[in-house]
Amino acid sequence: MKNIRFRRSLSLLLIGMTLTAISSCEKQTDLVPNNSFAEGDAFVTPDRIAQAINGVYSAAQAGAYSADGSNRGYPFGAANTEQQDARGEDVIAVPSFFVITYESTYLANSPNNTSMWETLYAMINRANVVIEGVKTAAASNVITPQLALQYEGEARYLRAMGHHELLVHFARPYGQTPDASHLGVPYRTVGINTPQKVEENLAQGRNSVKECYDKILEDLTFAETNLPATYATANIKVTHATKGAAIAMKTRMYLHMGNWAKVIEEGNKIVSASAPFTSSIGGYTLTASPDGPFASNYGNTESIFSIENNTNRSSGTNGSISAMYSKGPGRALIALSPIIWNAPFWKANDLRRTLLASNDATATVAPRAYFSNKYRDQATFTDANPIIRYAEVLLNVAEASARVNGVNDRALALLNAVRNRSVTTVADQYTLANFTGPNDLISAVLNERRIEFLAEGHRWSDIHRLSTDAVFTTGGIPAKVSYANTTFASWNATTPYTGIRGVTQIPAADYRFVWPIPQSETDNNSVLKGQQNPGWN
């Protein structure tokens, strides 16, 4: 008989055969379960089925932290953003929550990487159970076939998103081998809700990276085909998957694959031919001010898909993005690094320096560092976690266009659409004359990503995908600044940072560049134990 560690090791937190009851999807998603019911009863009425699909969003917002079972925003309520940022060099981990991730001293049983694996697969499993359930419900005429396809599309969108998050942490990037035949992660598509299925799952090993991306794109294309362009309720427009969200996510996937033509093809579905760029699907457009998506988390035109946190359920003071990133009354455990703050490509008069960041000075205490101001509710932690914004789609297409067509008007216009709302001094704005060749323009787009998505958890994904790029690789995990080696003078927007980088670089070839498959998994799964990432055996 397997013990409870075995069950958790596979992240099958639903194998107790219950599905959390969540309120109707045309209201604010109630992330607090009012009750639960057996899986066999979950798909017998339209209302319960709606509650079951909302349960997948609930699993995305808050899984159990492996160290103590608490809600710390794993996988997508907050932790994906915090862990991805802490793996890069553009923030500083202020002791002590994220230092293990920041300094790459994690082990196969460290709670942060273990929790990411376990909660992502728990969410994926819940999505798979729901996919099977809605098909059965449609066959029994409990819901219409059209609604069943929509619900399946929502679940497959989340399933795709979860598997990609696993890939960027636990597998080498797509370009590591010419045909991407190296090991990815197990792509799980069967709901594991019986003891027999648990045993069968132990025989599943890692798919190749190519197989994973193919399956991700298959899921996202299904979602694009079957999801609505929008919903009637404001919050739901942003916090439930839509046709536009599936397309936007496909531009990200193709970017990671280095398939520039497909980035452009998908992007053109939701990016108009010329400025001001708008989408005919979902009505997405950039907000006039760079703080627009954060001043109104759930009511702006730029947020395509975000994970909801609300007053009833959030990751609180020990996990929420507002607590971790923000100065007092936040906990200020993730500071902005002088590496990015002092970067010459970030103009000193850029509005994002004042609208989206601030130092921690008070009337009685001198400033110590700069922190993000994107997440503003330090009282009840209701800030949405932004997963993908329209600004990303524009920059995805801009990069792909520059890689395919060199220096060109469209790539420049897309870059400027994002940048010029913050860089308002005309003399500082880009023209074609600023770029002598494609690499200059691509570099400008990549630099813009570091500024625009600072404190949104994108930096690690870019380090990961670019690690095999002949021109733009960082060479691995860049050297980082230790908080202990800084004073407030370290932050100077007019002078590049030349101080101590107390956390040394880790080359891309080093085993620590990818996380180990958790011990909680390999202890009970002999197939994955034999497929552990090299160096972690």
Side-chain angles (χ1 to χ4, degrees):
M1 176 68 68
K2 300 289 193 283
N3 60 22
I4 190 66
R5 181 183 176 88
F6 163 77
R7 295 185 184 276
R8 197 189 74 187
S9 74
L10 292 172
S11 302
L12 306 179
L13 303 183
L14 296 183
I15 112 173
M17 318 290 181
T18 61
L19 288 174
T20 302
I22 309 294
S23 68
S24 172
C25 67
E26 278 302 311
K27 301 177 182 178
Q28 176 175 312
T29 306
D30 181 2
L31 299 174
V32 177
N34 296 315
N35 52 64
S36 62
F37 40 84
E39 184 190 330
D41 298 328
F43 303 100
V44 297
T45 69
D47 183 61
R48 285 192 172 184
I49 295 168
Q51 293 172 28
I53 186 63
N54 277 345
V56 187
Y57 291 100
S58 177
Q61 187 264 349
Y65 181 58
S66 67
D68 58 15
S70 65
N71 174 9
R72 293 198 180 184
Y74 285 86
F76 291 113
N80 68 302
T81 295
E82 295 155 355
Q83 292 297 321
Q84 286 223 30
D85 274 341
R87 297 196 74 180
E89 83 280 33
D90 286 344
V91 303
I92 300 178
V94 179
S96 58
F97 272 23
F98 302 99
V99 172
I100 288 176
T101 300
Y102 190 67
E103 296 181 351
S104 301
T105 57
Y106 32 75
L107 301 171
N109 60 356
S110 297
N112 288 346
N113 38 300
T114 296
S115 297
M116 193 62 74
W117 175 280
E118 291 181 349
T119 60
L120 283 166
Y121 276 119
M123 181 200 75
I124 289 165
N125 190 61
R126 185 173 290 200
N128 290 334
V129 170
V130 167
I131 289 169
E132 295 170 8
V134 298
K135 288 179 178 179
T136 300
S140 302
N141 296 317
V142 178
I143 55 175
T144 66
Q146 181 180 8
L147 186 56
L149 289 171
Q150 176 193 315
Y151 286 154
E152 182 179 351
E154 291 183 73
R156 289 179 71 164
Y157 175 88
L158 292 168
R159 183 170 78 183
M161 193 171 79
H163 280 107
H164 189 252
E165 190 73 15
L166 286 158
L167 283 171
V168 298
H169 287 301
F170 295 96
R172 294 279 171 173
Y174 193 90
Q176 188 74 26
T177 56
D179 57 357
S181 60
H182 53 291
L183 291 177
V185 297
Y187 205 97
R188 292 174 176 161
T189 59
V190 175
I192 303 168
N193 52 6
T194 67
Q196 179 182 355
K197 288 183 178 180
V198 170
E199 297 296 335
E200 291 172 354
N201 188 74
L202 288 177
Q204 182 181 359
R206 297 169 71 172
N207 292 87
S208 73
V209 168
K210 183 182 186 304
E211 288 171 338
C212 288
Y213 274 90
D214 287 347
K215 291 176 182 294
I216 287 170
L217 289 168
E218 181 182 335
D219 277 346
L220 292 175
T221 298
F222 183 94
E224 175 190 355
T225 302
N226 293 288
L227 289 178
T230 190
Y231 298 94
T233 305
N235 272 32
I236 301 300
K237 291 179 181 179
V238 176
T239 61
H240 280 226
T242 60
K243 184 183 297 292
I247 295 168
M249 195 63 71
K250 286 168 76 175
T251 71
R252 182 186 288 179
M253 297 306 108
Y254 283 121
L255 200 72
H256 277 260
M257 296 168 69
N259 191 334
W260 317 122
K262 292 296 287 185
V263 175
I264 295 169
E265 178 184 326
E266 294 295 331
N268 285 345
K269 294 177 182 178
I270 56 174
V271 179
S272 57
S274 59
F277 297 106
T278 57
S279 174
S280 60
I281 299 172
Y284 309 115
T285 187
L286 295 177
T287 59
S289 173
D291 69 338
F294 308 97
S296 179
N297 282 191
Y298 304 103
N300 69 85
T301 61
E302 185 172 330
S303 295
I304 297 177
F305 181 73
S306 300
I307 294 293
E308 179 181 354
N309 294 290
N310 63 45
T311 54
N312 293 322
R313 193 177 191 189
S314 70
S315 43
T317 189
N318 284 330
S320 72
I321 45 180
S322 51
M324 298 298 107
Y325 285 93
S326 303
K327 65 179 186 179
R331 296 189 66 179
L333 293 177
I334 301 177
L336 305 182
S337 174
I339 292 174
I340 184 64
W341 188 262
N342 301 9
F345 55 79
W346 193 358
K347 295 297 181 182
N349 58 359
D350 189 310
L351 295 179
R352 288 168 290 198
R353 292 186 181 275
T354 52
L355 294 176
L356 294 172
S358 57
N359 64 57
D360 54 349
T362 68
T364 58
V365 178
R368 176 63 178 82
Y370 276 88
F371 294 87
S372 175
N373 191 37
K374 289 184 173 180
Y375 312 115
R376 302 172 181 185
D377 181 7
Q378 290 103 42
T380 55
F381 317 113
T382 62
D383 294 280
N385 189 18
I387 302 300
I388 194 162
R389 297 194 277 120
Y390 197 53
E392 181 187 341
V393 178
L394 299 191
L395 292 180
N396 290 350
V397 177
E399 180 183 339
S401 181
R403 289 183 183 267
V404 172
N405 301 311
V407 179
N408 66 91
D409 289 330
R410 180 162 173 77
L412 177 64
L414 291 164
L415 170 59
N416 280 342
V418 177
R419 185 173 184 268
N420 287 358
R421 62 177 174 174
S422 300
V423 179
T424 56
T425 301
V426 174
D428 291 332
Q429 296 176 346
Y430 291 135
T431 67
L432 289 176
N434 290 111
F435 309 107
T436 59
N439 286 350
D440 290 341
L441 181 52
I442 296 166
S443 181
V445 174
L446 295 176
N447 289 338
E448 184 63 21
R449 291 176 68 88
R450 290 176 66 182
I451 302 168
E452 178 65 21
F453 306 126
L454 182 60
E456 291 182 58
H458 286 332
R459 181 57 181 154
W460 172 250
S461 289
D462 280 344
I463 290 171
H464 185 268
R465 73 178 175 92
L466 294 170
S467 65
T468 59
D469 191 292
V471 177
F472 300 104
T473 181
T474 62
I477 302 174
K480 307 174 186 180
V481 176
S482 173
Y483 192 70
N485 294 140
T486 64
T487 67
F488 187 63
S490 302
W491 284 264
N492 187 334
T494 63
T495 304
Y497 180 76
T498 58
I500 297 171
R501 301 194 183 197
V503 181
T504 58
Q505 180 190 27
I506 294 177
D510 191 287
Y511 73 97
R512 291 169 293 173
F513 186 78
V514 292
W515 280 348
I517 297 174
Q519 183 179 346
S520 62
E521 187 79 52
T522 59
D523 277 352
N524 298 284
N525 187 327
S526 60
V527 177
L528 289 181
K529 184 175 183 178
Q531 295 178 332
Q532 177 63 278
N533 286 320
W536 292 108
N537 300 87

